[in-house]
């Protein structure tokens, strides 16, 4: 009887031990999952949260002439603004890119400027930074930590008509000034004050401009990215199929995103896009192949349904007060 009961008790003890082991493994597994999610969240926060805005801006710039880069199929591929580096009597250009959260310079361009003006350009090659100041008309922009990208082309000092692009102006500047993009008159201004009438809210999240709009009674959140200057609306392939004119000719191009080649597909459309009281014609819709899975994930994560470029606003004036998250379209 004693032996019988002992044998009978061992399975119960084993079961209890097994249950404790299962609970410990489950708890450990859950802790690992939590840490993975937390680690992933912190990674994305760090990677995609822009650095502190170190720009020191004084003065204003009004009625700056816009200069457009044209490609074979696109007359408004990129928007350039003329700038001057302090101490150098030469006009250079920087691309105005509202998709970039920071103002950056191009290494290859700076190296050629440094060869000609060795006392004016001093780069920190170890940190890929430069401490410098530049002007847009009467507005001065200074920073000790402009980032340098391994990008760009050698400056052509021999050709006075050359479009020497030495960097990108990002939304860190827009955070410091109210931006007036007068596409009707091909002018741009950066001012401190403006009359606040009939302005509408938008999101300025992580220095990204997310503008609310309506297409076919559907509310959309669209990223205003002047880096995609020559396109009206860039969206997913599914929405592209929905909006484009059926049997329309599909235009195929090769795009460039910081050196990465993308396939760009555009087709004609006949839709209306509404920004508060302003209603614009949407005559073309585009989708892009070649973007990373990470970029697609971040697009969905942000809640945006697409991107709009400058082409949509060519006959209008767009005013952006990023600090107060207000905009106006005239």
């Amino acid at each position: 009887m004693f032996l019988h009961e002992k044998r009978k008790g061992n399975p119960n003890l084993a079961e209890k031990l097994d249950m404790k082991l299962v609970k410990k493994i489950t708890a450990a597994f859950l802790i690992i999952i939590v840490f993975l999610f937390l680690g992933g969240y912190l990674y994305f926060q760090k990677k995609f949260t822009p650095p502190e805005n170190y720009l020191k801006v004084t003065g204003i710039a009004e009625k700056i002439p816009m200069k457009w880069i044209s490609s074979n199929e696109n007359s408004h591929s990129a928007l350039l603004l003329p700038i001057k580096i302090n101490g150098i009597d030469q006009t250079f250009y920087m691309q105005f890119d509202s998709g970039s959260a920071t103002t950056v310079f191009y290494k290859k361009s700076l190296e050629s400027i440094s060869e000609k003006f060795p006392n004016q350009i001093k780069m920190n090659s170890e940190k890929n930074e430069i401490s410098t100041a530049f002007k847009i008309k009467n507005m001065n922009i200074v920073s000790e930590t402009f980032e340098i990208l391994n990008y760009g082309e050698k400056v052509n000092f021999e050709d006075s008509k050359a479009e020497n692009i030495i960097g990108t102006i990002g939304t860190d500047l827009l955070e410091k000034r109210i931006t007036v993009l007068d596409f009707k008159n091909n002018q741009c201004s950066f001012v401190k004050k403006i009359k606040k009438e009939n302005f509408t809210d938008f999101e300025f999240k992580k220095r990204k401009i997310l503008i609310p709009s309506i297409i076919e009674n559907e509310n959309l959140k669209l990223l205003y990215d002047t880096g995609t200057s020559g396109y009206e609306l860039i969206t997913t392939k599914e929405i592209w199929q929905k909006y484009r004119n059926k049997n329309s000719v599909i235009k195929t191009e090769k795009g460039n995103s910081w050196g990465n080649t993308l396939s760009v597909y555009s087709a004609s459309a006949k839709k209306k896009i509404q920004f508060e009281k302003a209603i614009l014609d949407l005559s073309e819709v585009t989708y892009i192949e070649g973007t990373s899975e990470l970029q697609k994930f971040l697009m969905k994560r942000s809640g945006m349904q697409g991107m709009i470029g400058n082409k949509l606003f060519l006959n209008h004036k767009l005013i952006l007060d990023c600090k107060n998250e207000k905009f106006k379209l005239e």
Side-chain angles (χ1 to χ4, degrees):
M1 184 74 175
F2 175 77
L3 290 174
H4 177 72
E5 287 180 353
K6 191 174 181 182
R7 286 194 197 102
K8 188 176 178 181
N10 279 340
N12 291 335
L13 180 62
E15 285 177 11
K16 288 179 181 178
L17 290 173
D18 286 345
M19 286 300 295
K20 285 183 179 179
L21 184 61
V22 169
K23 286 179 180 179
K24 285 181 179 180
I25 292 171
T26 303
F29 185 66
L30 288 172
I31 289 169
I32 291 170
I33 290 174
V34 169
F35 272 103
L36 285 173
F37 274 109
L38 181 61
Y41 172 79
L42 293 175
Y43 169 79
F44 283 116
Q45 282 292 102
K46 184 177 179 181
K47 186 172 179 64
F48 297 101
T49 297
E52 187 178 338
N53 191 339
Y54 293 108
L55 296 188
K56 296 176 183 177
V57 183
T58 57
I60 63 172
E62 296 183 283
K63 298 182 179 180
I64 310 154
M66 295 177 178
K67 190 176 182 69
W68 298 97
I69 293 180
S70 301
S71 62
N72 292 335
E73 310 226 358
N74 203 320
S75 58
H76 298 84
S77 294
L79 172 57
L80 306 181
L81 297 178
I83 69 107
K84 284 196 173 184
I85 295 176
N86 283 13
I88 300 176
D89 188 20
Q90 171 96 23
T91 298
F92 302 106
Y93 288 92
M94 294 181 76
Q95 182 179 353
F96 178 64
D97 185 358
S98 62
S100 174
T102 55
T103 296
V104 299
F105 284 92
Y106 304 155
K107 186 176 182 180
K108 295 176 184 177
S109 306
L110 289 184
E111 285 175 343
S112 61
I113 297 173
S114 182
E115 289 175 9
K116 190 173 180 66
F117 303 97
N119 297 323
Q120 301 299 330
I121 299 292
K122 294 181 181 179
M123 295 182 285
N124 186 331
S125 300
E126 291 182 3
K127 293 185 177 180
N128 283 322
E129 290 177 351
I130 182 173
S131 173
T132 191
F134 67 93
K135 295 180 72 171
I136 302 176
K137 273 204 165 182
N138 296 321
M139 182 173 63
N140 292 284
I141 301 105
V142 182
S143 177
E144 295 180 359
T145 56
F146 282 116
E147 185 182 356
I148 299 172
L149 296 183
N150 189 18
Y151 191 72
E153 297 178 359
K154 190 174 181 179
V155 170
N156 182 356
F157 289 101
E158 305 302 321
D159 186 357
S160 60
K161 296 181 180 179
E163 296 167 342
N164 292 311
I165 307 168
I166 65 168
T168 293
I169 293 172
T171 52
D172 48 354
L173 177 57
L174 276 63
E175 200 170 39
K176 300 286 186 176
R177 290 291 183 269
I178 297 168
T179 307
V180 182
L181 295 160
D182 186 354
F183 295 107
K184 289 186 288 186
N185 296 302
N186 214 39
Q187 296 174 340
C188 173
S189 299
F190 297 97
V191 297
K192 291 181 180 180
K193 295 179 181 179
I194 201 161
K195 200 172 183 180
K196 296 289 179 65
E197 290 182 357
N198 300 318
F199 273 68
T200 305
D201 295 337
F202 74 95
E203 288 183 39
F204 191 55
K205 187 185 294 182
K206 298 188 187 299
R207 292 212 285 270
K208 299 292 185 184
I209 300 168
L210 299 170
I211 299 179
S213 65
I214 300 172
I215 302 178
E216 293 187 335
N217 296 317
E218 183 179 2
N219 292 313
L220 303 172
K221 191 191 296 182
L222 302 175
L223 173 70
Y224 177 49
D225 182 359
T226 61
T228 58
S229 177
Y231 304 100
E232 292 184 24
L233 172 65
I234 298 175
T235 187
T236 63
K237 187 174 182 180
E238 291 74 24
I239 296 177
W240 177 80
Q241 291 281 19
K242 180 182 174 182
Y243 287 170
R244 75 183 183 94
N245 292 330
K246 305 307 175 189
N247 302 319
S248 60
V249 175
I250 299 172
K251 181 175 67 177
T252 305
E253 302 172 81
K254 290 297 179 183
N256 177 44
S257 176
W258 300 114
N260 296 322
T261 302
L262 306 172
S263 298
V264 184
Y265 302 93
S266 300
S268 64
K270 195 174 182 181
K271 302 291 181 185
K272 298 289 183 181
I273 181 168
Q274 183 176 347
F275 300 97
E276 193 60 22
K277 295 180 180 178
I279 300 175
L280 279 58
D281 291 322
L282 181 66
S283 62
E284 187 180 67
V285 64
T286 302
Y287 84 94
I288 296 174
E289 288 185 349
T291 56
S292 68
E293 292 301 317
L294 179 58
Q295 287 173 314
K296 292 175 185 175
F297 168 78
L298 290 171
M299 182 174 174
K300 289 181 180 178
R301 178 88 177 175
S302 69
M304 68 176 180
Q305 286 81 31
M307 297 185 290
I308 45 178
N310 293 321
K311 189 176 179 181
L312 190 64
F313 304 122
L314 287 182
N315 296 313
H316 301 272
K317 181 191 288 186
L318 177 63
I319 305 170
L320 295 164
D321 182 354
C322 291
K323 186 177 181 180
N324 296 302
E325 298 187 31
K326 301 283 184 181
F327 84 99
K328 183 179 180 180
L329 183 61
E330 297 177 350

